[in-house]
Structure formats: structure tokens, C-alpha cells
Amino acid sequence: MKTKIINTPDLLKAASRKKEVTNFCVANAKHLKDLKPLAKGKKYYIRTYGCQANVRDEETMRAMLEDVGYSFSKEVENVDVIIINTCAVRENAEDKVYGEIGNLKRLRKKNKNLILAICGCMVEQPEILKRLMDTFPEVNLFFGTHEIAQLLDLIYDCYSSNERIVAIESKQGEVVEFIPDCRNNHYKAYVNIIYGCNKFCTYCIVPYTRGKERSRHFNDVIKECQRLIDAGYQEITLLGQNVNAYGKDLDEGKDFADLLEAVAKLGIPRLRFTTSHPWDFSSKMIDVIAKYPNIMKFIHLPVQSGNDEILRKMGRRYTREQYLNLVKEMREKIPGLSLSTDIIVGFPNENEEQFQDTCSLVDIVQYEAAFTFIYSPRKGTPAAKMEDNVSKETKTRRFQELVKHLEKHIEEYSNAMVGNTYDVLVDGVSKTDENMLSGYTETNKLVHFKGDLSLVGTIVKVKIKESHTYSLIGELVNG
Ligand code: SAH
Ligand code: SF4
Ligand code: F3S
């Protein structure tokens, strides 16, 4: 099979943040009419790895595919289009993708017309793209995070040219509005407010795979949220790699606090946002969160490390003291606040004392939830070039020690919830016990309880009976 290269990625271009005016446009497929007869009666399968940005991209792709006539299949067998939407943030995220594609290539032997596509953050890295192209000749479409809007035209190209297509352009990126819309969930929705990242933390690949920070127009976000409220949604999560940067690239005179307040005022029962970088978390934002009861008192505030030298090497732009002051202000102004975080263990040359600073910060902040990661070098990032004298064993030992520090408070927090009653947004049948339902409290605690399936998508009162560190068992409170 011949390969048609439309664009290939380039990390230097991906890292460029030259000032340029953002292009705002509406997705518009050229070959919509021609593709419709080809898509009629056909099925697609899509598998997404990684963060909510990828989950939202999946929804966008589903909307486009369904608009042209493809229908969604939960099973990968006997479909006509397979899309693997990848994540590159750590090596283990990538390994899963190699495994999965290895399993899928047999399907293309069975069906010569199958479109097997890989998209997402992995293909934005030149070396990984090359490895994928060499290892999997069965994959006949590669497209990047900036090409989502072109998906239908790329599929049409695959059908009409019978070539393998590579379309991955490294660029700062535009803001594309997608109409129609599609959501995987009927009561909880993610709404993009800002794409990309300009922070360039030295360990992180995201600014290279997702382009520059670019905000959607204030009114476009508000209109989308209003549509969701009109459709009966119970929860909206405003999305961005760094939501606090919202509006800085627009001249609309609005910042994230303004947007958060405006969405809260629309009256959605539950409003969340993720992720917020500690560096530009303003007091104005804290005041807005404290003021509106429908903004959930849950903030994900990645710290990464509790040591100033490591924070500096990571390029995080705050010190331990600044972070702790921010947490203090949040806890003082927002009663009942629950804080969660991300922490990286084993950054290059992290010594024992520096690691202990992270443990002591965890003991001070007493997070209610946390994600911990062992540092994974990402080619092309500055940290990947640093020498590292910390052994794998030391990193693993530190990781386990850190988890113990975190679990101590998480367990205390869960135990203290026993006997109290909380509002829970019901998600569905519990994944651990099919006789139970499960859902999340306002502070994002997972609760399992007995109840009727008709409650899914509603907010109910649940009294907590039993605590396990990461989840709770409760009982429905009538009325
Ligand atoms: N924009 C978000 C995070 C995106 S990535 C933020 O800044 O908070 C999610 C988390 O993955 C990060 O917070 C970090 O803890 C972790 N991470 C990113 N790059 C990593 C790497 N190279 N190795 C290990 N963990 C990493
Ligand atoms: Fe990565 Fe840092 Fe940007 Fe988060 S803020 S996406 S960790 S570069
Ligand atoms: Fe992964 Fe890309 Fe998100 S690297 S974490 S899917 S932005």
C-alpha cells in the first residue's frame, strides 16, 4: 500500500509560541455528501486513552461519524472504521496502545476495506509515529490532534485513494466549533473552554501535542452550557489543560473567574472545572467558588513536588510556600473544600531530602484525593535530556511511601463521612457490585448504595454507612 503524506509532526514547530492571531472557524467537511452513501449502514468503534481532552475529542469524532451515517459499535469485530485515540503522557499509556493495535491488525486481514486509524497525542511525536508506521503496516490512517475537524475528509480520502494516509501538522492550533454535538453521557458533560498549554513544564509532552493555549469565545461556551442545561444535564465540567489561563489570549475582557461565575448563574446543578495550575489561580476565582453553592467545593490542584529545587527544575513557576499559601487561602475562604492533586515521584536526580519535602507537604495539605506517578522521560522534553542518578528501585520505594502519606488523610476523611448524608449524582450500576448503584458526592467521593435504576442521572440523598479508603457504602435516604 502506498503512503500519502499530507503532513508529518515536527517538535520544533509544535513548541513554537510565536504571536499569531488564532483562527476561529466552524468544522466543515468538504466531502460530506460523497461520504454519506459510503457510510450508510456501516459501523465504527472508537477507543480512547488519556485525559478528558481526549474523551471530549472522542465525543466530537462520534458526532461527526454519526452525522454522516456511521453507527456506534461497542464491539470491535465486524466494524468498518476503528479509531484508537492515544495518550502520550507516560510510557505506560503508550505501551497499552502498542498492545491493543497488535490485537487489532488481524481484523484488517479479514476486511480489506477496514479503516484502522490512530490519532491523539502519540502520533504528534515524530519518533513514535515512525515506530507505529513501521510496526503496524495494517494501520491505514494516522491523524493528529489538530486534524480532528478533517476526520470525515480523511476517511473519504482513504476510501477513494486506497492509500495509507498521514495527516499530522504540528502547529499552534485554531479554535474549531463543532456542530452537531454528541455526548457519551446524558446528565454529565465536559465543555472545552481552552485548548493547548503554554506552560512547558520540563517533563511534559502536552504542550507539544496540543498546541498553544487558545480560548473559545465566551459566548460560545455560554451557549453550549445553556444548551446542556435545557437538555436536562445535571453536571458540567469546564475543561482545559489549565483553565485559569482562560481569556488571556482573547480581548473580550473576561477571565476564568468571570466565565465560571456566568456558567454558575445559568443554574446548572453541579459545576466543576479541571485542571487548574497553581501559578495563576487568582483570589477572584477563590471568591467565585466560595460564593456559588452550585460550584462544587472540589479543586484539583496539581503540586507535582514539595521541594523548591525540584519545582524549579520542573518549570512549575511557584514555590512550596506560594503553593501552601494558596491552599491556606482556599481552605479559609471555602468551607468544606476538598483538594486533590497530582504528584510525580523520581524526577531526575531527586534526592531523599527533596522527596521527603513532598511527603511533608502532603502531610500539611492533607489532600482528600490524589494521583501519583513515577516520572517517565518523554523524548523531546528538556527533562528527558537530564541525567538521572535515581534507581528504579528507589523510585518505586518512594512511590509506595508517598502513597502511604496520602492514604492516611484520605482514609481519615472517608471515615469522617460515615453517619452523614450527602447529595450523590447517580451514575449507574456499580462496577464492583451489580446489585448496587454508584455515584459521586459533591466532593467527588465514590459512593455505592442500593437503589432503582430509574435514579440514574438524578441527584439523591445517601447516608454513609461504611468507609473504604477510596469509596463509601451508603443507604438511600427517602424524601
Ligand atoms: N494540565 C494538567 C495535567 C496534564 S498531565 C496539569 O498541569 O495539571 C496529568 C499529570 O500527569 C500531570 O499533572 C503530571 O503529574 C503527570 N505527568 C505529566 N508528564 C509526566 C511525565 N513525563 N512523567 C510522569 N508523570 C507525568
Ligand atoms: Fe503539562 Fe505543565 Fe501544561 Fe500541565 S501545565 S499540561 S503538566 S506542561
Ligand atoms: Fe494524554 Fe494528550 Fe491528555 S498526552 S493526558 S491525552 S493531552
Side-chain angles (χ1 to χ4, degrees):
M1 186 181 253
K2 277 207 318 208
T3 300
K4 178 166 140 193
I5 306 254
I6 301 174
N7 283 301
T8 49
D10 173 337
L11 285 183
L12 266 180
K13 272 195 202 156
S16 161
R17 290 298 182 269
K18 261 192 272 163
K19 215 167 167 46
E20 62 176 39
V21 180
T22 302
N23 177 32
F24 286 83
C25 54
V26 176
N28 186 12
K30 288 192 213 92
H31 297 293
L32 202 65
K33 269 206 190 114
D34 312 310
L35 187 57
K36 274 190 175 163
L38 299 171
K40 202 172 169 208
K42 290 198 173 144
K43 287 192 263 177
Y44 74 93
Y45 169 90
I46 186 161
R47 174 75 196 260
T48 290
Y49 296 88
C51 67
Q52 289 95 336
N54 258 16
V55 173
R56 186 70 192 116
D57 282 349
E58 170 184 318
E59 291 180 331
T60 302
M61 290 190 271
R62 289 180 56 165
M64 294 163 78
L65 290 165
E66 287 175 25
D67 185 45
V68 79
Y70 289 103
S71 58
F72 172 67
S73 164
K74 273 189 184 163
E75 310 295 330
V76 72
E77 306 288 330
N78 304 319
V79 300
D80 305 278
V81 176
I82 297 176
I83 299 178
I84 307 298
N85 188 17
T86 63
C87 170
V89 79
R90 283 171 294 276
E91 196 177 349
N92 55 4
E94 296 185 337
D95 288 344
K96 285 186 210 149
V97 168
Y98 288 112
E100 171 151 33
I101 301 167
N103 288 331
L104 293 176
K105 54 186 190 186
R106 70 191 157 85
L107 295 172
R108 229 176 96 75
K109 291 208 180 84
K110 273 198 341 205
N111 174 5
K112 288 271 174 301
N113 294 322
L114 172 69
I115 293 180
L116 179 51
I118 307 185
C119 65
C121 290
M122 271 173 83
V123 297
E124 293 286 338
Q125 300 162 95
E127 287 189 26
I128 295 187
L129 173 67
K130 185 174 180 313
R131 182 173 160 197
L132 286 166
M133 286 178 68
D134 292 346
T135 321
F136 303 116
E138 298 82 3
V139 175
N140 51 357
L141 174 59
F142 295 89
F143 63 99
T145 60
H146 298 292
E147 280 79 17
I148 303 253
Q150 295 161 35
L151 172 64
L152 297 181
D153 288 334
L154 291 169
I155 289 182
Y156 180 76
D157 271 5
C158 285
Y159 284 136
S160 49
S161 75
N162 215 11
E163 288 174 323
R164 176 186 225 201
I165 292 176
V166 181
I168 303 150
E169 187 182 3
S170 294
K171 55 180 180 180
Q172 300 200 42
E174 42 208 5
V175 173
V176 187
E177 293 299 327
F178 290 92
I179 302 160
D181 202 5
C182 162
R183 310 232 171 218
N184 295 346
N185 189 304
H186 299 295
Y187 49 90
K188 289 206 291 202
Y190 291 127
V191 173
N192 282 318
I193 64 166
I194 179 167
Y195 302 99
C197 180
N198 287 354
K199 297 291 175 289
F200 288 99
C201 302
T202 57
Y203 50 81
C204 184
I205 197 70
V206 173
Y208 305 82
T209 65
R210 292 274 168 182
K212 70 171 176 183
E213 280 175 356
R214 53 211 192 271
S215 308
R216 287 178 72 196
H217 285 310
F218 192 85
N219 285 338
D220 286 334
V221 175
I222 295 294
K223 273 191 266 167
E224 184 171 338
C225 292
Q226 187 61 57
R227 280 200 301 273
L228 292 164
I229 294 169
D230 294 344
Y233 276 78
Q234 298 293 305
E235 182 175 295
I236 287 176
T237 303
L238 303 178
L239 271 193
Q241 291 303 338
N242 177 16
V243 290
N244 326 11
Y246 177 79
K248 288 183 182 177
D249 58 318
L250 299 174
D251 45 9
E252 296 184 344
K254 308 275 193 195
D255 60 18
F256 179 60
D258 298 325
L259 182 67
L260 193 61
E261 179 160 35
V263 179
K265 279 186 179 163
L266 295 177
I268 182 82
R270 286 182 168 200
L271 179 55
R272 300 183 188 275
F273 55 91
T274 198
T275 300
S276 33
H277 191 293
W279 180 58
D280 44 9
F281 207 116
S282 66
S283 294
K284 184 175 165 193
M285 276 172 61
I286 299 178
D287 294 338
V288 169
I289 298 164
K291 185 171 165 193
Y292 292 89
N294 59 341
I295 302 180
M296 299 297 96
K297 306 306 178 236
F298 178 87
I299 300 175
H300 183 58
L301 195 68
V303 66
Q304 314 299 0
S305 165
N307 174 268
D308 282 342
E309 178 63 12
I310 296 288
L311 285 171
R312 195 184 58 73
K313 286 188 179 159
M314 286 177 161
R316 289 293 290 180
R317 310 171 189 219
Y318 52 83
T319 62
R320 173 187 172 98
E321 192 188 350
Q322 283 166 335
Y323 185 92
L324 288 173
N325 285 340
L326 178 63
V327 167
K328 191 161 171 265
E329 183 183 349
M330 287 175 171
R331 296 253 198 230
E332 275 168 11
K333 285 186 175 166
I334 311 172
L337 176 68
S338 173
L339 273 173
S340 84
T341 200
D342 290 346
I343 300 176
I344 297 176
V345 173
F347 189 75
N349 301 323
E350 180 187 58
N351 64 33
E352 192 59 33
E353 203 184 326
Q354 291 168 329
F355 167 68
Q356 289 304 333
D357 280 346
T358 300
C359 295
S360 75
L361 180 132
V362 161
D363 293 340
I364 297 169
V365 178
Q366 308 205 335
Y367 293 101
E368 282 77 18
F371 299 94
T372 41
F373 311 102
I374 292 185
Y375 168 71
S376 167
R378 304 287 72 206
K379 243 198 165 109
T381 63
K385 295 189 196 89
M386 297 176 190
E387 270 185 50
D388 190 0
N389 61 12
V390 192
S391 72
K392 223 176 149 187
E393 292 70 37
T394 306
K395 292 188 188 203
T396 311
R397 196 256 305 148
R398 286 185 189 157
F399 180 85
Q400 287 158 351
E401 193 178 326
L402 178 67
V403 170
K404 276 193 201 135
H405 280 266
L406 285 160
E407 276 187 349
K408 187 169 173 285
H409 181 70
I410 296 172
E411 206 173 313
E412 280 167 13
Y413 178 65
S414 299
N415 288 344
M417 291 175 83
V418 175
N420 299 333
T421 299
Y422 296 91
D423 281 348
V424 172
L425 173 53
V426 187
D427 262 338
V429 176
S430 154
K431 285 186 183 135
T432 50
D433 181 346
E434 60 180 31
N435 297 314
M436 306 265 253
L437 298 177
S438 69
Y440 287 88
T441 65
E442 296 199 344
T443 59
N444 235 10
K445 270 286 182 186
L446 177 61
V447 184
H448 305 278
F449 56 97
K450 282 218 161 73
D452 191 85
L453 265 179
S454 62
L455 295 174
V456 172
T458 66
I459 295 172
V460 297
K461 295 219 176 288
V462 177
K463 186 170 182 181
I464 306 303
K465 294 283 169 190
E466 222 179 279
S467 134
H468 301 246
T469 310
Y470 295 104
S471 64
L472 304 156
I473 310 283
E475 207 174 75
L476 261 181
V477 177
N478 288 329

